[in-house]
Amino acid sequence: MAVTPQEVVQGLERRGVPRMAAIGLAGNFSVESRLEPGINEISPIVPGSRGGFGLAQWTGPRRRQFEAFARSQG
């Protein structure tokens, strides 16, 4: 289920991201994932990759680090 740009901005601001940066990130996330937090890239272009995941479409080592962080947070 997609989130709204306002929810993304507010969530980032609560975490200390300055408003203008949060707005920019929300704009990027809307292009990367249509603001669907659980989206996974359908056709990865990198051989052997599981593709991009999440709002920012994390891949490779960044995806593994993101998944490890998410697991640590429950």
Side-chain angles (χ1 to χ4, degrees):
M1 181 175 175
V3 295
T4 68
Q6 294 80 11
E7 289 172 313
V8 172
V9 171
Q10 290 169 357
L12 290 168
E13 287 182 308
R14 279 194 307 273
R15 291 164 177 85
V17 176
R19 182 164 185 74
M20 294 310 293
I23 291 169
L25 286 165
N28 176 264
F29 294 166
S30 69
V31 172
E32 291 286 346
S33 63
R34 297 183 314 266
L35 297 179
E36 295 181 34
I39 196 168
N40 195 85
E41 187 176 357
I42 295 170
S43 300
I45 59 172
V46 177
S49 168
R50 295 181 345 197
F53 179 76
L55 289 175
Q57 291 293 280
W58 289 281
T59 59
R62 289 182 184 154
R63 178 177 177 160
R64 289 189 292 278
Q65 291 168 349
F66 173 68
E67 290 171 332
F69 172 76
R71 276 192 302 276
S72 76
Q73 300 299 304

